[in-house]
Amino acid sequence: MKIMYVTSECAPFIKTGGLGDVAGSLPQALAAKGHDVRVFCPLYSAIDQSMREKFYYIKNAYVRLGWRNQYCGIFRYEADGVTYYFIDNEYYFARGQIYGEYDDAERFAYYSKAVLEVLPDLEWKPDVINCNDWQTALVPVYYNLMFASRPFYENIKTVFTIHNIQYQGRYGREILEYVLGIDDAHFRSGFMAMDGDVNLMKAAIVASTAVTTVSPTYANEIQTEYYGYRLDSVLRMNSYKLHGILNGINMDAFNPEIFKNYGPNNPQDKLVNKTELLKLCGLEGDANTPVIGIVTRFVDQKGLDLVEAVLPDILADDVRLIVLGTGDYRYEQMFIEAKRRWPDKVSASIMFSGDLANRIYAGADMFLMPSKFEPCGLAQMIALRYGTIPIVRETGGLKDTVHAFVDYAGTGNGFTFASYNAHDMLHVIREACGVFRFNKPAWSKLIMQGMQSDFSWGSSADKYIEVYKTAMGQ
């Protein structure tokens, strides 16, 4: 099968979050199963020069976008059985940041059109195109409106993956013809319209052959008013083609080799990582002091308002809290103030550091993720891989991957709560700390069950292949 994977970011070249991780791992897993996989990504100036030097220039072309005729350079790179194509246009992609520019609609419309236009130049026709989130939502739209009837493009199927339905690509009607080059008739018909705006994600859901999202629970949640961000009715109407497939993680990249290597056969060596983490963060504690880690974006989605509500209660106990992340000023200041108020209990690093994140995953005893919603979540899987017990709210991928500890049955791999309530969260934090302190055999079993969890991409890749085959009518 020839699979074209279109993304706005891809590890290890460029990433801002989970989409980059998925785009860096899923195509490799598909290629390992014998498929011809080609990943398309913008050639951002932010991609490290040492990587850019390895890209091979193929040719250049021009892409028509509305009244504009824009340059398009095509570069190629091969690694791990996957072919990568990078779309070059410095006007759109030589920016200070990947997202958040005033003309994001035009930038990613250009990119979505370009990846389709260049296919004949590559002398390669995919069987299926898998695009991701609103930045590439116009790929199935442009395909249906402008490309499907051309002989070269006939019978290509499109799959649209929703990583986070909160971000939909909503713009005013005026961009449709002037920026996107799409006739206003498609707004009047309702195809491109939602609540009076152009909605790119909505159009992709309607236009695509199949739609996937990143966990089975999230696939159900986004069909409800609370989680659907106004697209729930559209998804219910298209539920016949909606599939929830749990993300995986790169099991080699997230390997417990930090301060000291450890694994399911020698989990006691995790204590070395805990001791070194506390030392690194300027905190003191021993083997019986619970260490709770938080590595996240500081936004409401991540449930930090729950933490804010009961933070003094959490820190009233003999615990250590190690926090890493950036985001909303409110939450940055909350953790800075907590560090000032409880300097012997709190470490707060207002930054992003992959190295420190891995050290927290490896050295903490527990990992707190009280998300309001979480399409899939990778952090809880990484934590389990490192034998760090997750404390999560039962939503999205958290519900699919973390199962509540039941002492008498010896089951579960973490601690969970259902209601979005700060005191419910506080209760399970205290429950986890109690098991950690007073039931060492149960805690050791939790660690073992966590580290033996298989979150590799193999089974998830098989499910994507089934979606692709169904889309192709096989």
Side-chain angles (χ1 to χ4, degrees):
M1 189 186 308
K2 291 182 284 187
I3 302 165
M4 177 177 174
Y5 197 86
V6 186
T7 179
S8 58
E9 57 181 83
C10 179
F13 310 104
I14 190 86
K15 80 163 191 172
T16 66
L19 170 57
D21 287 317
V22 172
S25 300
L26 174 57
Q28 292 181 15
L30 294 168
K33 294 180 180 293
H35 300 282
D36 180 0
V37 186
R38 311 207 179 182
V39 176
F40 288 70
C41 183
L43 185 60
Y44 299 106
S45 59
I47 296 175
D48 190 86
Q49 186 61 32
S50 63
M51 289 185 174
R52 291 166 64 99
E53 290 172 353
K54 299 175 183 177
F55 300 167
Y56 172 74
Y57 171 77
I58 300 177
K59 64 184 301 184
N60 65 274
Y62 282 85
V63 174
R64 188 81 178 172
L65 187 68
W67 54 269
R68 307 160 196 78
N69 205 29
Q70 298 285 34
Y71 169 86
C72 175
I74 311 167
F75 288 77
R76 177 180 174 132
Y77 176 74
E78 294 184 20
D80 300 310
V82 177
T83 300
Y84 298 87
Y85 293 108
F86 294 89
I87 301 299
D88 178 38
N89 181 300
E90 291 194 351
Y91 173 70
Y92 288 127
F93 302 128
R95 305 288 183 94
Q97 55 189 355
I98 299 177
Y99 311 127
E101 298 288 336
Y102 75 96
D103 59 346
D104 275 359
E106 182 178 334
R107 295 170 67 221
F108 291 107
Y110 159 82
Y111 172 58
S112 298
K113 188 95 176 290
V115 298
L116 292 167
E117 289 279 14
V118 302
L119 287 177
D121 293 315
L122 303 178
E123 299 180 349
W124 182 76
K125 178 182 175 180
D127 298 308
V128 63
I129 302 173
N130 192 162
C131 45
N132 297 269
D133 271 354
W134 77 263
Q135 292 90 347
T136 59
L138 281 169
V139 173
V141 175
Y142 282 141
Y143 175 77
N144 286 10
L145 296 180
M146 303 175 186
F147 291 87
S149 60
R150 302 184 197 178
F152 175 85
Y153 294 90
E154 288 178 346
N155 297 316
I156 296 174
K157 306 304 178 183
T158 55
V159 176
F160 179 63
T161 299
I162 301 169
H163 295 262
N164 190 335
I165 203 168
Q166 185 177 7
Y167 307 103
Q168 300 174 3
R170 292 184 59 172
Y171 294 96
R173 181 176 180 174
E174 64 276 4
I175 77 160
L176 198 59
E177 292 186 331
Y178 183 77
V179 176
L180 307 186
I182 295 174
D183 194 289
D184 187 70
H186 297 294
F187 187 93
R188 297 193 300 272
S189 71
F191 171 45
M192 299 292 300
M194 185 76 189
D195 295 335
D197 291 331
V198 169
N199 189 308
L200 304 186
M201 182 174 283
K202 183 252 184 167
I205 292 168
V206 174
S208 298
T209 315
V211 180
T212 70
T213 191
V214 291
S215 72
T217 294
Y218 195 59
N220 292 325
E221 287 179 341
I222 58 178
Q223 295 180 66
T224 68
E225 185 176 351
Y226 181 81
Y227 290 99
Y229 283 86
R230 301 288 295 158
L231 288 181
D232 51 291
S233 61
V234 177
L235 287 161
R236 288 194 299 272
M237 285 189 288
N238 289 273
S239 61
Y240 66 93
K241 61 180 177 181
L242 176 62
H243 309 265
I245 303 174
L246 191 68
N247 282 341
I249 59 173
N250 187 321
M251 300 289 275
D252 294 324
F254 298 108
N255 197 357
E257 297 181 1
I258 311 295
F259 296 108
K260 184 174 183 181
N261 181 29
Y262 65 97
N265 296 323
N266 58 333
Q268 67 278 1
D269 286 341
K270 181 174 169 60
L271 180 59
V272 177
N273 292 272
K274 175 178 178 175
T275 301
E276 293 299 321
L277 176 64
L278 287 169
K279 187 187 301 182
L280 179 68
C281 295
L283 299 175
E284 294 183 357
D286 58 29
N288 291 314
T289 307
V291 174
I292 302 171
I294 296 177
V295 178
T296 191
R297 289 181 295 117
F298 294 167
V299 293
D300 285 337
Q301 174 203 333
K302 299 300 182 179
L304 296 181
D305 55 333
L306 301 187
V307 177
E308 184 179 46
V310 294
L311 188 56
D313 300 282
I314 295 171
L315 296 172
D317 296 328
D318 184 27
V319 302
R320 303 293 179 265
L321 181 64
I322 299 178
V323 181
L324 171 66
T326 62
D328 293 352
Y329 177 81
R330 164 188 172 186
Y331 296 124
E332 290 185 354
Q333 291 305 303
M334 174 182 78
F335 288 122
I336 290 170
E337 173 61 18
K339 182 178 180 179
R340 185 198 66 78
R341 186 174 172 187
W342 295 281
D344 58 334
K345 292 186 175 184
V346 177
S347 168
S349 300
I350 312 303
M351 57 185 282
F352 179 77
S353 164
D355 180 63
L356 180 55
N358 283 347
R359 291 171 188 265
I360 293 171
Y361 288 126
D365 298 301
M366 304 155 204
F367 193 86
L368 181 59
M369 289 184 72
S371 302
K372 184 177 294 183
F373 66 93
E374 195 66 59
C376 177
L378 299 179
Q380 82 280 10
M381 300 184 201
I382 300 168
L384 286 164
R385 173 86 166 127
Y386 286 86
T388 298
I389 307 306
I391 302 170
V392 306
R393 180 170 170 261
E394 297 170 11
T395 183
L398 299 179
K399 185 175 181 179
D400 292 326
T401 54
V402 181
H403 309 293
F405 167 69
V406 180
D407 190 7
Y408 70 86
T411 58
N413 60 3
F415 295 83
T416 71
F417 63 103
S419 298
Y420 194 71
N421 180 284
H423 285 88
D424 285 3
M425 179 191 71
L426 178 63
H427 173 76
V428 295
I429 291 173
R430 287 176 169 167
E431 179 188 2
C433 290
V435 175
F436 173 81
R437 288 191 181 101
F438 305 118
N439 193 345
K440 292 299 185 184
W443 193 263
S444 296
K445 188 169 184 179
L446 274 170
I447 291 175
M448 187 68 66
Q449 289 171 175
M451 297 189 78
Q452 290 174 338
S453 300
D454 182 8
F455 294 118
S456 62
W457 271 104
S459 61
S460 296
D462 286 336
K463 292 174 183 175
Y464 272 97
I465 291 166
E466 286 304 311
V467 170
Y468 300 155
K469 287 181 176 178
T470 300
M472 294 166 59
Q474 297 180 6

